[in-house]
């Protein structure tokens, strides 16, 4: 019987690429996001891999609980949970910050991860693996990153504390903290401003979502006694959050 991987934010970017990679590694999938049509296209692409689609906003605790409670029996045991859903919203000094953006980041990146984990954990057991997608932003401060950095620092500390709490249950917990990955991330951060988004990657070869997915696939397919706990992954052109080598 195939193992089940439950991936949040699988409609785009890193989550989508992880779904593809884990399907190749012979997992069956529960894929989640708000954009059902994207998830349906993904499921069609992955056929004949069994894929179950759940659509909910990770910030809505009632919706998270109802979706996870309604999982069909054949997807009822979760072997791997990838807490990936999240985004940055805005990039401005704290004194000019938009409170709605702050709410979106803290509610999505932090509380969403908690809600999904709380709902999924009763379905996990010995040998399970949780991968939380943090960011270099959770390890280093950068100008105007304030609340996004704080949300990802929270993901780092939650990962470390979850690892302790879940030790008696035999559930491994890891953080993957990427630097620059070209996805829809910057379009979301800059609210659809494609020029600003493109500038983030100007003169740089960023990571592709597939590069991060490769790493995640490697981590969750190690033997049961191995727990890769925390990995920072940069493109070769990046040395720190705000230190990037750009070609003219
Ligand atoms: P994308 O914008 O391409 O993907 C984000 C995914 O998260 C989408 O599938 C989106 O689905 C889902 N999502 C976002 N908010 C919610 C929500 N409130 N409820 C449900 N689903 C949600 O960005 P990435 O793939 O780059 O981002 C994935 C993760 O990687 C995020 O946690 C991000 O912070 C992190 N990261 C990204 C980096 C980068 O440079 N790209 C670097 C470091 C970390 P939908 O809109 O359909 O709901
Ligand atoms: C995304 C990477 O550097 O834009 O988490 O914060 S960064």
């Amino acid at each position: 019987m195939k193992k089940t991987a439950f991936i949040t934010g699988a409609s785009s970017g890193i989550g989508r690429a992880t779904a593809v990679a884990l399907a190749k590694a012979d997992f069956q999938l529960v894929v989640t996001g708000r954009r059902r049509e994207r998830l349906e296209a993904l499921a069609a692409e992955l056929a004949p891999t069994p894929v179950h689609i759940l659509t909910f906003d990770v910030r809505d605790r009632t919706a998270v609980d109802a979706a996870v409670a309604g999982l069909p029996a054949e997807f009822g045991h979760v072997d791997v949970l990838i807490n990936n859903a999240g985004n940055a919203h805005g990039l401005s000094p704290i004194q000019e910050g938009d409170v709605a953006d702050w709410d979106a980041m803290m509610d999505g990146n932090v509380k969403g991860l908690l809600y999904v984990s709380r709902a999924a954990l009763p379905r996990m057991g010995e040998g399970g693996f949780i991968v939380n997608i943090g960011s270099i932003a959770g390890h280093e401060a950068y100008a105007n990153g304030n609340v996004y950095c704080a949300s990802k620092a929270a993901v780092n500390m939650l990962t470390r504390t979850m690892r302790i709490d879940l030790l008696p249950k035999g559930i491994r917990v890891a953080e993957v903290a990427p630097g620059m990955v070209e996805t829809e991330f910057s379009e979301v951060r800059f609210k659809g401003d494609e020029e600003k988004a493109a500038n983030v990657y100007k003169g740089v070869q960023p990571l592709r979502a597939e590069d991060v997915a490769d790493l995640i696939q490697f981590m969750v397919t190690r033997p049961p006694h191995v727990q890769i706990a925390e990995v920072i992954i940069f493109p070769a052109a990046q040395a720190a959050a705000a230190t990037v080598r750009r070609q003219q």
Side-chain angles (χ1 to χ4, degrees):
M1 205 177 122
K2 285 178 187 279
K3 289 185 174 179
T4 301
F6 185 118
I7 305 169
T8 67
S11 54
S12 174
I14 295 168
R16 189 183 198 287
T18 302
V20 173
L22 295 189
K24 280 189 190 137
D26 208 30
F27 283 84
Q28 61 172 14
L29 304 174
V30 178
V31 293
T32 88
R34 291 163 296 182
R35 291 171 288 180
R36 173 166 279 274
E37 64 294 346
R38 296 269 197 115
L39 298 171
E40 282 169 353
L42 174 65
E45 182 184 319
L46 295 180
T49 296
V51 177
H52 186 76
I53 295 172
L54 296 176
T55 42
F56 55 80
D57 187 324
V58 294
R59 295 171 294 183
D60 180 342
R61 183 159 58 94
T62 309
V64 171
D65 287 347
V68 177
L71 275 175
E74 60 272 30
F75 292 92
H77 181 80
V78 175
D79 298 283
V80 168
L81 169 63
I82 312 289
N83 277 314
N84 162 77
N87 275 118
H89 298 275
L91 182 71
S92 51
I94 197 82
Q95 64 275 21
E96 292 167 18
D98 179 327
V99 174
D101 283 344
W102 296 355
D103 286 345
M105 290 185 279
M106 297 310 283
D107 291 349
N109 302 354
V110 184
K111 289 166 72 183
L113 179 152
L114 285 169
Y115 295 160
V116 172
S117 301
R118 186 66 185 84
L121 271 165
R123 296 176 173 278
M124 299 186 73
E126 189 74 37
F129 208 136
I130 299 177
V131 180
N132 294 329
I133 308 303
S135 169
I136 190 57
H139 294 253
E140 287 182 44
Y142 61 84
N144 303 325
N146 45 67
V147 177
Y148 181 67
C149 291
S151 75
K152 290 300 187 177
V155 171
N156 174 263
M157 190 51 76
L158 281 171
T159 305
R160 292 158 61 186
T161 51
M162 285 164 80
R163 192 157 48 240
I164 295 167
D165 295 350
L166 295 172
L167 182 65
K169 298 209 167 297
I171 298 174
R172 296 163 287 173
V173 187
E175 181 195 11
V176 169
M180 295 170 93
V181 192
E182 191 163 15
T183 61
E184 293 173 16
F185 176 85
S186 292
E187 277 173 46
V188 174
R189 168 169 255 176
F190 297 119
K191 304 177 198 303
D193 185 330
E194 288 176 13
E195 199 182 326
K196 267 192 180 171
N199 272 339
V200 173
Y201 311 111
K202 204 169 177 182
V204 179
Q205 183 175 354
L207 292 170
R208 301 165 304 136
E210 291 74 13
D211 300 319
V212 183
D214 262 1
L215 170 64
I216 295 169
Q217 191 223 309
F218 180 79
M219 291 166 74
V220 303
T221 54
R222 291 311 87 207
H225 68 285
V226 178
Q227 176 173 223
I228 300 173
E230 190 171 300
V231 180
I232 291 175
I233 175 169
F234 282 135
Q238 182 173 24
T243 308
V244 174
R245 179 173 176 230
R246 292 185 195 271
Q247 311 288 343
Q248 289 314 307

